[in-house]
Amino acid sequence: MYTQGLNQGPDAADRRIEDAALLQRFQERIDAEERIEPNDWMPEAYRRTLVRQISQHAHSEIIGMQPEGNWITRAPSLRRKAALLAKVQDECGHGLYLYAAAETLGVAREEMVEQLLAGKAKYSSIFNYPTLTWADIGAIGWLVDGAAIMNQIPLCRCSYGPYARAMIRVCKEESFHQRQGYEIMLTLCRGNGAQKEMAQDALNRWWWPCLMMFGPPDAASQHTDTSTRWKIKRFTNDELRQKFIDATVPQAHFLGLTVPDPDLRFDEATGHWAHGAIDWEEFRQVVAGNGPCNAQRMERRRRTEEDGAWVRDAARAFAEKEKSRHRAAA
Amino acid sequence: MTSIRLAETPLLTYVLRRADDALVLGHRLSEWCGKAPLMEEEMALANMGLDLIGQARALYTYAGEVEAKGHDEDALAYLRDERAYRNLLLVEQPNGDFALTMVRQLLYAAFADPYWRAMMASRDATLAAIAAKAEKETAYHLRHSAEWVVRLGDGTAESHARIVRALEKLWPFTGELFETDDVEREMIAAGIAVDPAALRDTWRGTVSAVLARATLTMPEDGWMQSGGRGGRHSEHLGHLLAELQSMQRTIPGATW
């Protein structure tokens, strides 16, 4: 890796002194809100953390195409069909530029995809839940993209430049998706009885998994401390979860829907919505691979890779032939 | 919901035929979502699908105006049975592998591109405007599918064999592209439509040039399948429509 390549001294002791100086300079730059760019020196742990986070984010976009893709062929109107196809296409686009952002840290897209397919890399737990009705498409846009925005807006100020810049574009598109999802819910809630029932059912199923998207409670989170010091992360899991709840509960009320949490109440003293206990055992199980769709999502991704192998082989073979033809002509 | 019945005039039938072509092919491309061999192809297939669905929407909206019975784009797309669909058999053929999808796209786009270009001179101002947009989009679809057919034809032994199979399978559906009947003739005579038969040489020229670059030989014309324009489809269309129309049929009369 070039981050280490820049850091090779003739002697181990010299290197440690140099490392300490570089590390101090690095932290000063972070503290001064400077952006770290690909060719800048960075600690190996910083690089590793970012590769893990950005590639997980990219994988989430790619796996996330599946639950929504499940409704493209059944969207109830041509306008909805086009909007959903365009949205899922956006997600693929997000995946592509996130992989590109991670590649600036010296890891190839193929390598990251390989890790996903081998089950060594994670993606967002939310995509292991099934989309059972059309209202789920509305709920995903409204809640899942809403939660993603809460997570991602602070990442636009992430200390690593390429990630921060990718996030600015992703957030613009996500906020459009979120409005689109809410508008689907609004249309359903203003519709007939069957449509309203569908909307409520979707909220019932997606609410708790969406709260889990922010990750374990602060007390149990492994990565928060260093990530905060390096300004990769600017808010804790619980802070972001609370922001999401505070923003979303009034939206649910506006729709005339009931949030499926009997303990939910507005706390006048704090100005926040207090929520009931989250079932962290469910979260652990889904992350461990036991969610309703984990096996299906991975199987589909692996099959897609396998089915496409001959196409990629052919494209490579053709490119080689073209190269030798050009050489012969030159 | 009960299917709608239309009193088809030649202009209405004519517009529905083109709308159905675009929707059915756009729907087929949308079925690729999440299954493409490369992420870049996910983007491209979705783009082409979106172009075609957009063309279908403009054409259905116009068909609704021509009929003037209050049917909007969704009524026309979601509430007609397969026997009322007027698309070419070629576009309803299942995706198969990536080779089949790219050959299907090439065979259609090599026709649709010059067709829409010629339609830009239609006496019908709405159709001329739709054609101007569709032509730009179809030119890209043609380039994209041609590049892939070349790559796969001249790629590996396996990709070559797959392209050959796709060509053999789809060739019998190409005759229908150039068919004319009373509806088409009336529209041609009125200066509204162009004669598809007049585009046959252009189409052959385009396809044979691509196939030559792809190290493939042009299949011989044999028996050609026909019937889509009159609503006599392959068994595949019914399944496509059952899926496409399911929500509108399950919860009828709702706003989505």
Side-chain angles (χ1 to χ4, degrees):
Chain A
M1 297 303 153
Y2 52 81
T3 48
Q4 292 171 318
L6 292 169
N7 192 24
Q8 276 168 1
D11 175 86
D14 284 354
R15 209 158 50 223
R16 270 197 301 278
I17 295 161
E18 197 183 345
D19 273 1
L22 285 167
L23 195 60
Q24 191 191 342
R25 171 78 192 110
F26 175 80
Q27 191 62 50
E28 282 165 7
R29 291 189 62 199
I30 300 260
D31 295 342
E33 296 288 332
E34 279 180 40
R35 293 280 166 275
I36 305 300
E37 295 300 333
N39 289 323
D40 296 346
W41 185 89
M42 63 187 81
E44 180 56 22
Y46 177 84
R47 194 192 69 83
R48 219 173 27 240
T49 302
L50 278 167
V51 167
R52 192 192 61 239
Q53 183 171 332
I54 301 173
S55 64
Q56 278 182 13
H57 192 164
H59 300 327
S60 300
E61 298 282 357
I62 298 303
I63 297 289
M65 294 170 71
Q66 291 184 39
E68 290 180 280
N70 186 34
W71 279 89
I72 290 173
T73 55
R74 292 178 292 168
S77 73
L78 295 181
R79 181 170 79 93
R80 295 293 186 200
K81 187 181 178 68
L84 182 58
L85 180 54
K87 176 182 195 281
V88 178
Q89 185 193 35
D90 281 350
E91 274 146 23
C92 184
H94 296 172
L96 275 172
Y97 42 84
L98 283 162
Y99 282 128
E103 283 187 321
T104 63
L105 293 158
V107 54
R109 193 215 291 186
E110 291 71 20
E111 204 180 315
M112 292 182 267
V113 170
E114 195 56 47
Q115 285 182 335
L116 171 69
L117 297 179
K120 287 180 195 154
K122 300 230 178 299
Y123 56 86
S124 178
S125 58
I126 196 74
F127 301 119
N128 292 313
Y129 291 87
T131 50
L132 303 180
T133 73
W134 170 250
D136 290 24
I137 299 308
I140 288 183
W142 171 36
L143 300 172
V144 175
D145 292 332
I149 291 167
M150 287 294 169
N151 260 323
Q152 290 168 11
I153 293 262
L155 289 172
C156 297
R157 294 186 293 131
C158 165
S159 59
Y160 188 57
Y163 193 28
R165 287 188 290 272
M167 276 305 109
I168 290 170
R169 181 160 167 197
V170 168
C171 281
K172 275 188 194 142
E173 292 180 356
E174 291 295 2
S175 84
F176 178 68
H177 296 164
Q178 202 252 353
R179 282 200 298 274
Q180 211 168 54
Y182 192 71
E183 201 251 319
I184 290 177
M185 295 302 277
L186 194 60
T187 307
L188 293 174
C189 290
R190 286 176 178 168
N192 62 33
Q195 289 175 297
K196 276 180 218 158
E197 201 177 304
M198 197 187 273
Q200 181 64 56
D201 170 60
L203 176 59
N204 292 348
R205 283 181 290 108
W206 289 94
W207 176 255
W208 291 106
C210 280
L211 297 190
M212 295 174 197
M213 279 177 73
F214 297 93
D218 294 349
S221 178
Q222 300 164 11
H223 306 299
T224 302
D225 287 353
T226 42
S227 288
T228 305
R229 184 155 42 83
W230 284 333
K231 295 195 179 161
I232 294 172
K233 201 174 166 69
R234 288 178 184 264
F235 297 97
T236 69
N237 293 353
D238 286 338
E239 283 168 353
L240 290 168
R241 189 166 15 248
Q242 189 62 54
K243 269 177 191 267
F244 172 76
I245 294 171
D246 289 343
T248 311
V249 170
Q251 293 170 356
H253 291 162
F254 182 78
L255 292 172
L257 297 176
T258 307
V259 176
D261 177 358
D263 297 325
L264 188 77
R265 59 179 179 82
F266 189 72
D267 185 334
E268 295 286 352
T270 62
H272 294 298
W273 284 89
H275 61 87
I278 295 171
D279 180 1
W280 290 112
E281 180 53 23
E282 175 179 324
F283 177 72
R284 271 189 292 276
Q285 289 300 329
V286 174
V287 172
N290 300 321
C293 296
N294 295 61
Q296 180 191 333
R297 301 287 184 246
M298 288 307 295
E299 189 190 319
R300 167 71 172 282
R301 197 62 237 157
R302 287 188 189 117
R303 199 171 58 235
T304 297
E305 284 292 314
E306 280 166 26
D307 289 352
W310 70 269
V311 177
R312 296 188 297 274
D313 288 346
R316 263 191 300 272
F318 179 75
E320 281 303 315
K321 286 185 196 178
E322 284 284 275
K323 223 189 290 176
S324 53
R325 278 193 283 255
H326 283 141
R327 265 200 302 270
Chain B
M1 185 163 194
T2 328
S3 304
I4 54 170
R5 286 184 182 282
L6 309 178
E8 291 193 32
T9 60
L11 179 59
L12 179 58
T13 303
Y14 174 81
V15 177
L16 285 172
R17 286 174 174 179
R18 271 74 211 172
D20 292 344
D21 283 348
L23 178 61
V24 170
L25 187 56
H27 182 95
R28 282 292 186 221
L29 292 176
S30 81
E31 291 173 348
W32 269 100
C33 185
K35 297 174 188 160
L38 293 154
M39 279 174 226
E40 286 76 2
E41 277 314 291
E42 286 286 354
M43 307 292 283
L45 289 162
N47 260 337
M48 295 193 290
L50 283 167
D51 286 344
L52 287 159
I53 292 166
Q55 291 169 20
R57 292 182 65 188
L59 287 160
Y60 283 131
T61 299
Y62 184 48
E65 287 166 19
V66 169
E67 194 207 8
K69 295 277 167 62
H71 291 132
D72 63 6
E73 57 176 35
D74 290 327
L76 293 169
Y78 287 84
L79 300 177
R80 281 182 308 135
D81 293 328
E82 71 180 280
R83 296 281 284 113
Y85 260 71
R86 302 274 178 252
N87 59 279
L88 297 163
L89 298 175
L90 175 68
V91 296
E92 73 194 40
Q93 295 310 302
N95 287 339
D97 62 8
F98 188 69
L100 195 104
T101 291
M102 283 300 122
V103 170
R104 186 184 62 199
Q105 204 65 32
L106 171 70
L107 296 176
Y108 177 74
F111 170 78
D113 183 47
Y115 187 85
W116 288 123
R117 195 155 45 245
M119 278 296 291
M120 287 160 68
S122 169
R123 268 192 209 153
D124 184 309
T126 307
L127 289 175
I130 292 171
K133 187 163 183 290
E135 190 276 327
K136 284 194 199 78
E137 294 165 345
T138 316
Y140 165 75
H141 302 179
L142 175 58
R143 198 169 68 234
H144 186 83
S145 54
E147 278 169 12
W148 271 108
V149 168
V150 169
R151 235 175 253 141
L152 297 177
D154 192 19
T156 61
E158 181 181 2
S159 67
H160 183 87
R162 284 176 186 260
I163 283 280
V164 169
R165 272 203 300 278
L167 264 177
E168 282 168 0
K169 196 166 177 182
L170 294 176
W171 202 256
F173 298 105
T174 57
E176 203 180 19
L177 291 165
F178 310 101
E179 281 179 8
T180 46
D181 60 3
D182 288 344
V183 168
E184 300 285 325
R185 274 189 286 273
E186 193 174 328
M187 291 297 100
I188 295 162
I192 291 172
V194 294
D195 185 357
L199 299 172
R200 189 187 280 270
D201 288 345
T202 308
W203 180 86
R204 284 194 73 89
T206 306
V207 172
S208 69
V210 173
L211 296 186
R213 280 175 58 211
T215 70
L216 297 159
T217 34
M218 193 99 160
E220 294 285 326
D221 280 352
W223 175 256
M224 290 291 177
Q225 300 295 339
S226 171
R229 294 295 189 216
R232 294 179 307 282
H233 292 277
S234 63
E235 288 182 348
H236 307 299
L237 184 67
H239 294 278
L240 183 153
L241 293 180
E243 196 171 335
L244 183 134
Q245 299 179 339
S246 63
M247 287 305 296
Q248 291 258 354
R249 304 285 184 152
T250 312
I251 305 180
T255 302
W256 296 102

